[in-house]
Amino acid sequence: MKNLSKVLAIETSCDDTSVAVVREDGWVEALSSVSQDSSHSLFGGIVPEIAHRNHSFYLLPLLKNCMEKSSCDWKSLLGLSVTSRPGLLGSLLVGLVTVKTLALAYDLPFLAINHLEAHLFAPFLKDASYAPEKEPSFPYLALVVSGGHTFLCLVERLGIYKILGSTRDDAAGEAFDKFAQMLGLGFPGGRQVDMWAKGGNSHFFSFPRPLLSSKHLDFSFSGLKTSAYRFLSSWNEEEKKKERKHLCAGFQEAILDVLMSKLDLALKRTPVESVVITGGVSANSALRKKATLWAEKKEVDLFMPPLRYCTDNAAMVGYIGIKRLLRGEKSSQDISPSASSHSFDFISVREK
Ligand code: KG4
Ligand code: ZN
């Protein structure tokens, strides 16, 4: 087998510090990550100042650990890859400055990439415990559902991404987190809601399904959050605790109904053979079950990568980085981080 190229990648766009060494075929040689959940849970949300301080603290030890795990040396790397957009500016800056410095020190090219593009390619990653026989075939539909983003996208090929619909306000993960906070379940709360919902009846409490029957593919979750807030405002902590599992089941069902009905509509309008669901919310056990049944019925190949590749991680950043480096692309030392999604990385074909 010919020697495959590899990159070292860094992800620090939000509150996960992550470093990976990835091969051009998607094989993850090493992945070293630290979640900052415990630092932010006290505040019920991500505190940007704490996030970037933590990145500065964790990044170099993770880098060392990752290089040791992958047993590769700097000379054997094709280049470096780093998330430069979108995200928290201070957080992005820690990763970007580190990569620029490494690029100068080791005379390596680097690529500053869009974090959302990286999420789209997560199912192409592989390791000893995740190596599906098939890969998504182009073009494919991708539903990205995380704490910061919720959108439907047609991935035509590397570099051509058509946004079919996206959230007009909150992301689905944000709605899960806010609801968990109302019930005193901690932060981030998606996993907690998922866990409690397992023992509940989703018909006990009914929550609105925003934009469910609209003809476009946009989402909106802020009304759902407000409606839950109003509904619970007269409840005391004891009452909330008593009904926790049914409340979680009802709220979760409302979000999943919207996600699945928009995905279904997208597939009807854009028939494809492969569908990808990724981002932190794709870890939701009920969503995984629903989506699997749906895909069987629709006869499409469904790809939902394991949690380590769904949530923010450097391996997905490395995969896109290496594909672009192999095409001869590279970033220059004067590139800056950006908080915005950079609409020019994506083509919007959203219907109003
Ligand atoms: O992709 P991610 O790690 O970071 C962002 O880019 O935001 O996603 C984090 C989000 C959080 O909102 C978290 O509550 C949600 O994913 N999440 C879940 C589950 N696990 C994580 N939401 C629902 N069910 C889960 N099991
Ligand atoms: Zn993300």
Side-chain angles (χ1 to χ4, degrees):
M1 189 169 83
K2 84 172 172 98
N3 255 352
L4 296 176
S5 308
K6 47 188 151 182
V7 291
L8 178 120
I10 292 181
E11 157 66 38
T12 59
S13 65
C14 191
D15 64 333
D16 292 290
T17 321
S18 182
V19 184
V21 173
V22 185
R23 268 186 352 211
E24 63 178 281
D25 60 352
W27 186 265
V28 182
E29 288 205 346
L31 175 64
S32 305
S33 307
V34 171
S35 152
Q36 301 181 12
D37 286 352
S38 57
S39 307
H40 301 280
S41 61
L42 268 177
F43 305 93
I46 293 160
V47 184
E49 174 75 17
I50 294 178
H52 78 244
R53 278 169 190 253
N54 279 345
H55 287 312
S56 331
F57 183 74
Y58 292 127
L59 188 53
L60 294 184
L62 282 179
L63 199 63
K64 189 166 174 278
N65 175 273
C66 193
M67 287 299 278
E68 278 166 10
K69 275 205 283 190
S70 74
S71 59
C72 77
D73 58 59
W74 296 100
K75 282 196 207 82
S76 66
L77 293 173
L78 179 72
L80 309 162
S81 180
V82 61
T83 302
S84 70
R85 60 197 186 276
L88 302 170
L89 280 179
S91 291
L92 289 165
L93 206 55
V94 177
L96 189 58
V97 168
T98 305
V99 160
K100 283 184 185 183
T101 311
L102 292 170
L104 283 176
Y106 295 105
D107 193 21
L108 288 166
F110 77 95
L111 250 168
I113 65 122
N114 187 312
H115 174 86
L116 302 178
E117 179 185 25
H119 270 304
L120 299 175
F121 285 81
F124 289 89
L125 298 169
K126 300 168 198 73
D127 61 32
S129 51
Y130 175 69
E133 279 168 24
K134 267 187 169 179
E135 287 184 340
S137 55
F138 295 97
Y140 61 86
L141 269 178
L143 171 64
V144 179
V145 256
S146 72
H149 303 277
T150 297
F151 64 98
L152 267 163
C153 184
L154 180 70
V155 180
E156 294 203 339
R157 59 186 159 83
L158 181 77
I160 308 282
Y161 316 120
K162 291 187 174 158
I163 301 283
L164 308 173
S166 64
T167 183
R168 294 182 173 184
D169 39 60
D170 295 351
E174 204 176 337
F176 269 115
D177 292 339
K178 295 276 162 55
F179 185 70
Q181 210 177 347
M182 291 174 213
L183 296 185
L185 299 178
F187 174 86
R191 206 181 320 134
Q192 297 296 324
V193 175
D194 182 359
M195 202 184 76
W196 284 102
K198 281 183 186 144
N201 182 337
S202 60
H203 300 292
F204 259 54
F205 301 105
S206 179
F207 290 94
R209 272 93 168 131
L211 303 182
L212 184 72
S213 48
S214 60
K215 291 197 174 65
H216 54 70
L217 294 168
D218 278 353
F219 306 87
S220 164
F221 294 107
S222 76
L224 170 62
K225 181 187 69 187
T226 312
S227 132
Y229 180 77
R230 288 216 184 100
F231 179 65
L232 291 170
S233 60
S234 58
W235 292 41
N236 65 35
E237 295 313 309
E238 247 341 278
E239 289 167 328
K240 286 185 198 168
K241 213 167 173 181
K242 195 163 151 266
E243 299 295 349
R244 187 151 61 184
K245 56 186 188 188
H246 301 308
L247 288 166
C248 286
F251 188 84
Q252 175 176 278
E253 193 67 11
I255 294 191
L256 302 197
D257 266 0
V258 176
L259 293 176
M260 288 312 301
S261 77
K262 294 289 175 187
L263 183 59
D264 190 63
L265 185 58
L267 184 69
K268 275 192 190 113
R269 293 200 181 151
T270 316
V272 288
E273 284 170 16
S274 303
V275 172
V276 167
I277 306 183
T278 185
V281 178
S282 66
N284 185 273
S285 57
L287 175 62
R288 286 189 169 245
K289 269 190 213 139
K290 259 183 201 283
T292 305
L293 291 175
W294 170 84
E296 276 168 20
K297 210 167 120 200
K298 299 285 167 182
E299 297 181 346
V300 290
D301 293 323
L302 177 67
F303 298 85
M304 287 185 289
L307 191 57
R308 61 189 172 283
Y309 300 141
C310 282
T311 54
D312 291 351
N313 68 87
M316 65 183 191
V317 177
Y319 185 77
I320 282 298
I322 199 156
K323 293 290 162 194
R324 288 191 173 275
L325 281 167
L326 287 168
R327 292 205 315 194
E329 296 176 31
K330 61 179 192 173
S331 301
S332 71
Q333 281 283 342
D334 57 13
I335 193 156
S336 307
S338 165
S340 84
S341 301
H342 271 228
S343 50
F344 54 79
D345 292 327
F346 293 85
I347 304 160
S348 180
V349 293
R350 291 161 61 197
E351 289 168 33
K352 297 289 163 200

